[in-house]
Amino acid sequence: MAELNRGQQALVLAPADKKAIGVAGAGTGKTTTILARARHILEENKTGNVLLITFTRAAANDIKNRLEAAAVSDENVSASNSVPSFDMRRVMSGTFHSIIALFIRRYAPEVGLSANFSIIDENSTAIMYRNLIEGNPLHEQFLTGWALTDNEKKLAKKHFNLAANTVSILVNMASPEELLKGEFSERTLNALIKSHRTITEENVGQVASFTYTLFKESLSDGKRTNTVTYDQILFLGYLMAQADMLEKDRAAFIHTIVDEYQDTNPLQDAFIRYFAGEKLTIVGDVDQSIYGFRGGQPTLILEHAKEAAVYNLTENYRSGQNILDTANRIIRHNQVGSTIRKDLEAGRADKSPGIVDLTIARHDYQETDQLVRDILRRHDLGVPWSDMAILIRSRMTLAGISKKMAEAKIPVYDTTRYADFMKSEVMLDTLNFLKVFVNPKDIYAFMGVIDRPKQGIGPTTLAKLQEYADKRNVGLVEYLLSKDVSELTPALKKKIQKFVGTYESVFQAQSNDHIDLTSLIGYIFKSFGYEDWLMGLQNREKYAQDLKILKGMVKTFEEEFRRENKNPTLFDVANAFVFDMSSSAVREEDKDGVCITTIHNAKGLEWRYVFLIGLEEENFPGTKIIDTEDLESERRLAYVAFTRAKDELHVFASQTRAALSQEGESLKPSRFLMEAGLAPSRFLTD
């Protein structure tokens, strides 16, 4: 245990029969301490098991592998003793869901299930709620409770993702007592209000009541179908605990260790309080609680801190002191967690203070150009690509970055949702619309847009149209554009003629010298009613976000293309965009390259050089900040971003950003820059 520092040793040696809390700041050797704690307890107690709970399968597997390695090492220490100091069979590790699911399977009949029950995925969950609502008196309550538009009602009848999402929020945000009684706190109701634009203070009570009824109906349906949802797993675990079904299992474990406790929700906390009692070690950091949208409540650690010994792990082995000072300054502005917070101190052997600087750009394309130059310069000095990372708050900040990185031949490992966006319906539909514009003979693109939005031209109709085209020995698009469609029924002919007429007007748009690519796409969307159609769908908020990202991406692309090419035509710009975006969509990611990731995805990771992009108001912190709780959550996210850097932290902000700012408007620097004590190191001007 000599390799552990004083704070780590104190937590490891804490009495196993009493509750202990490890406040583990970023980079303080949390996992090493957890492993040492588990090993110490097992060595001190020759019988009984230890339960290790994490929040991800990856973390659970990492802990398991490291414990197994330690056990093997013990076996090799002494040839005379082939029995390790602890037996891996005495360790149970997993996520909350996996461990509780195991208990449910063990006692399935007691909760109305069979041992072979299945856990249904998100899509199946939405179908389940659809089946529960349709043909049920609840149906009208559902349609009216959210104040849905007529178009939203139509899609709601088909998918019911909204119901599934609302149930999930209720289950993850509410306390067990609320879920048992159906009476909800202001905090829970506020979470519902934040979840969907149509839920307001006026109708949230009705929505909560309906959602609670639906949740109870889903539990009954689960018994009928022998299925459980992910949300139901946590609730059933709590019910089992309340009914003392797990008494034998509780007795078998001498201690429970829970990692990342700041991300627990009330149901998980209640389960742990029952299962572990005082034989519990909690490890977490309120200042790194960034999953409030999934139900994580950092205040739960504070409740435990009132009744347990608190051990602070403040010696950071990751970052230079300059980086830590910056992070310490910003997080001091948060009130939640202030009672147990301690400043991080550098414990690196090399004692390097680290570098922190701030770059302010007039335009985001200048920011991107400088970012690429900075990365190239460090690589030329011998820094591996994989030692560098670009962190972003949201995907909107990505416009132009991936393209410039590719042009500079910088390998990229993109872990963000950017790749998902490139494969999203909005992007794929846009590319198909433009592909038909660029090449009317592209049958595959045509088939992708012929029924977007719905025009009653489905697979069966398309097959018939293709049959007619084959008889004339022409392509499908050519057949339809010929207007000689005498074989078609009057109704189908009307649909086709409307579609063809619309596209012909789109083709004519390219003759307008003043139209740009953004306007062309807008014209296509308006002509086909595409954007209005999307806004009538259930996932309208996601589609609205994707459309916003698309517009910013198109604007950035066209500005760069026109700067780099002399007097390009609209056709040239559209063709280049289709080619570039299509290539990007299939480009292989290089895990040895520069990492591009969201801050949420960066949690638990580290790099020598971190470039943090987009520190502007309305971007970071974002536009949905409505109260102190939201602001503190955003500030914790900034804290997590800062503490990912080992040697250098380079922060960027731009006065204009294509995806965010309107023409002539200037973005304000993020308030977090001042709180962190960051002054501009350089200005990028025209």
Side-chain angles (χ1 to χ4, degrees):
M1 200 168 301
E3 69 276 10
L4 301 178
N5 64 42
R6 185 175 299 177
Q8 292 171 328
Q9 287 187 30
L11 176 58
V12 169
L13 298 175
D17 60 347
K18 291 186 172 54
K19 187 186 298 185
I21 299 177
V23 181
T28 56
K30 170 173 64 72
T31 303
T32 298
T33 307
I34 287 174
L35 294 173
R37 173 94 169 132
R39 180 168 179 169
H40 173 72
I41 291 172
L42 290 168
E43 290 173 342
E44 291 292 305
N45 300 269
K46 302 306 180 183
T47 60
N49 304 320
V50 168
L51 177 62
L52 285 174
I53 299 180
T54 64
F55 269 80
T56 65
R57 289 192 184 95
N61 290 335
D62 179 53
I63 287 175
K64 181 180 179 181
N65 292 336
R66 291 171 68 171
L67 279 172
E68 287 177 341
V72 171
S73 177
D74 284 350
E75 290 180 339
N76 296 331
V77 168
S78 173
S80 63
N81 183 14
S82 62
V83 180
S85 58
F86 65 92
D87 189 345
M88 276 299 302
R89 290 173 296 182
R90 295 174 61 197
V91 179
M92 177 187 256
S93 64
T95 65
F96 271 104
H97 285 87
S98 66
I99 289 172
I100 295 176
L102 186 150
F103 289 142
I104 295 174
R105 206 171 295 282
R106 187 175 295 174
Y107 302 103
E110 283 86 342
V111 294
L113 297 169
S114 299
N116 65 337
F117 70 83
S118 56
I119 303 172
I120 58 177
D121 60 22
E122 292 182 5
N123 290 332
S124 298
T125 299
I127 294 173
M128 176 196 67
Y129 286 123
R130 180 192 67 189
N131 293 337
L132 289 176
I133 294 172
E134 288 186 326
N136 190 300
L138 295 172
H139 195 187
E140 286 306 310
Q141 294 181 42
F142 172 70
L143 295 179
T144 59
W146 276 264
L148 301 177
T149 66
D150 288 341
N151 283 332
E152 285 172 328
K153 291 178 182 180
K154 291 177 183 177
L155 193 73
K157 293 178 181 179
K158 185 176 181 181
H159 296 297
F160 290 96
N161 289 323
L162 178 57
N165 293 338
T166 311
V167 170
S168 184
I169 291 168
L170 194 73
V171 173
N172 284 281
M173 291 293 186
S175 70
E177 293 76 16
E178 291 176 73
L179 290 173
L180 288 175
K181 297 179 181 179
E183 300 173 359
F184 300 102
S185 66
E186 183 178 353
R187 175 185 173 84
T188 302
L189 296 178
N190 284 337
L192 292 177
I193 292 172
K194 292 178 182 179
S195 70
H196 195 268
R197 63 175 181 80
T198 63
I199 303 177
T200 64
E201 291 183 1
E202 288 71 30
N203 69 351
V204 68
Q206 181 182 358
V207 170
S209 176
F210 165 75
T211 304
Y212 181 65
T213 302
L214 186 59
F215 176 59
K216 290 194 297 181
E217 291 283 335
S218 74
L219 291 169
S220 299
D221 188 75
K223 294 178 181 180
R224 182 180 63 83
T225 60
N226 199 37
T227 60
V228 295
T229 69
Y230 283 100
D231 296 325
Q232 290 172 358
I233 288 175
L234 298 181
F235 186 67
L236 290 174
Y238 171 74
L239 293 180
M240 292 169 66
Q242 285 295 102
D244 281 334
M245 292 184 193
L246 308 180
E247 189 60 35
K248 290 183 180 179
D249 300 278
R250 290 181 68 211
F253 288 91
I254 54 177
H255 203 78
T256 297
I257 304 174
V258 186
D259 191 14
E260 304 286 6
Y261 208 87
Q262 74 277 356
D263 296 324
T264 55
N265 64 33
L267 274 177
Q268 292 165 330
D269 181 66
F271 178 84
I272 286 298
R273 284 181 176 274
Y274 162 82
F275 193 85
E278 290 297 305
K279 300 181 291 183
L280 172 66
T281 298
I282 288 170
V283 182
D285 182 10
V286 172
D287 295 333
Q288 296 188 79
S289 178
I290 60 175
Y291 297 110
F293 60 91
R294 295 199 312 224
Q297 297 187 17
T299 54
L300 294 174
I301 289 184
L302 304 179
E303 293 299 316
H304 284 279
K306 297 176 182 178
E307 56 196 41
V310 177
Y311 302 85
N312 285 290
L313 307 185
T314 59
E315 194 168 354
N316 178 288
Y317 298 99
R318 174 185 299 158
S319 309
Q321 192 62 53
N322 286 339
I323 297 171
L324 296 180
D325 288 343
T326 304
N328 289 333
R329 282 193 293 269
I330 189 173
I331 203 61
R332 288 176 198 146
H333 289 78
N334 270 13
Q335 291 303 307
V336 174
S338 60
T339 56
I340 59 174
R341 179 182 302 123
K342 302 289 184 183
D343 283 352
L344 294 176
E345 298 177 354
R348 290 174 30 155
D350 63 8
K351 303 300 180 182
S352 173
I355 295 172
V356 182
D357 59 34
L358 169 63
T359 298
I360 303 292
R362 187 181 297 275
H363 304 291
D364 55 346
Y365 65 80
Q366 295 170 327
E367 173 189 83
T368 300
D369 289 343
Q370 186 62 55
L371 172 67
V372 169
R373 287 195 293 270
D374 289 348
I375 290 173
L376 288 172
R377 183 167 64 251
R378 282 159 179 80
H379 184 67
D380 290 340
L381 293 173
V383 178
W385 299 120
S386 58
D387 279 354
M388 295 180 278
I390 301 170
L391 304 188
I392 59 172
R393 172 64 181 89
S394 69
R395 294 181 295 164
M396 289 184 291
T397 320
L398 276 177
I401 292 179
S402 293
K403 181 175 183 290
K404 283 293 183 183
M405 298 282 280
E407 290 175 352
K409 299 187 182 331
I410 299 174
V412 168
Y413 175 41
D414 190 346
T415 69
T416 70
R417 294 176 60 195
Y418 174 77
D420 294 334
F421 169 72
M422 296 299 294
K423 299 175 183 178
S424 68
E425 292 177 69
V426 169
M427 175 55 84
L428 295 177
D429 288 344
T430 301
L431 292 178
N432 282 330
F433 277 124
L434 290 176
K435 284 177 182 178
V436 177
F437 169 74
V438 172
N439 177 21
K441 293 184 178 181
D442 191 334
I443 180 61
Y444 304 104
F446 176 82
M447 293 179 69
V449 301
I450 185 66
D451 213 29
R452 306 284 292 179
K454 299 293 183 182
Q455 300 179 62
I457 305 174
T460 302
T461 303
L462 281 173
K464 197 68 174 177
L465 292 172
Q466 186 65 63
E467 181 184 330
Y468 293 144
D470 291 342
K471 287 181 179 179
R472 299 192 180 189
N473 199 29
V474 297
L476 178 56
V477 177
E478 185 179 353
Y479 166 70
L480 295 176
L481 292 177
S482 71
K483 298 183 181 180
D484 184 9
V485 289
S486 55
E487 304 96 331
L488 306 183
T489 64
L492 182 55
K493 187 184 297 184
K494 185 177 180 180
K495 293 178 182 178
I496 295 299
Q497 288 174 339
K498 180 182 178 182
F499 180 88
V500 171
T502 302
Y503 239 108
E504 285 183 333
S505 69
V506 173
F507 294 146
Q508 293 170 3
Q510 67 177 306
S511 61
N512 188 339
D513 293 333
H514 302 291
I515 192 171
D516 56 21
L517 185 58
T518 301
S519 301
L520 175 66
I521 293 173
Y523 183 83
I524 292 174
F525 287 177
K526 183 178 180 180
S527 298
F528 284 98
Y530 178 73
E531 189 167 346
D532 289 340
W533 174 67
L534 286 179
M535 293 301 97
L537 302 184
Q538 183 196 347
N539 292 329
R540 66 187 307 275
E541 290 160 334
K542 178 185 182 300
Y543 291 129
Q545 182 74 358
D546 285 348
L547 286 169
K548 189 175 182 179
I549 295 169
L550 173 70
K551 291 173 183 178
M553 185 178 292
V554 172
K555 183 179 179 182
T556 300
F557 177 88
E558 184 161 21
E559 288 176 354
E560 292 177 351
F561 188 83
R562 291 189 181 277
R563 280 198 305 270
E564 298 167 0
N565 296 272
K566 188 177 181 179
N567 299 324
T569 65
L570 175 61
F571 182 90
D572 294 331
V573 179
N575 191 45
F577 182 80
V578 167
F579 179 82
D580 189 82
M581 295 299 117
S582 297
S583 300
S584 299
V586 298
R587 187 167 61 229
E588 290 289 326
E589 296 174 346
D590 187 350
K591 292 187 178 181
D592 294 324
V594 176
C595 183
I596 301 179
T597 186
T598 62
I599 302 169
H600 282 98
N601 289 340
K603 179 72 165 46
L605 304 177
E606 61 184 33
W607 297 268
R608 287 180 61 196
Y609 302 86
V610 168
F611 302 87
L612 179 58
I613 311 299
L615 269 292
E616 307 99 18
E617 292 287 311
E618 310 259 324
N619 188 32
F620 195 10
T623 56
K624 295 185 177 180
I625 306 301
I626 63 174
D627 53 33
T628 301
E629 185 177 338
D630 292 334
L631 181 59
E632 291 209 354
S633 179
E634 286 284 286
R635 191 176 286 115
R636 289 193 293 268
L637 194 61
Y639 176 79
V640 167
F642 289 178
T643 54
R644 300 310 95 193
K646 299 168 69 175
D647 297 338
E648 296 183 11
L649 171 64
H650 302 285
V651 183
F652 288 78
S654 182
Q655 294 176 339
T656 62
R657 194 171 294 281
L660 290 173
S661 54
Q662 301 294 323
E663 189 173 350
E665 291 183 350
S666 181
L667 298 172
K668 296 179 180 179
S670 171
R671 71 192 74 184
F672 297 153
L673 298 176
M674 182 183 68
E675 294 176 357
L678 290 178
S681 308
R682 60 184 174 182
F683 290 90
L684 306 179
T685 59
D686 292 328

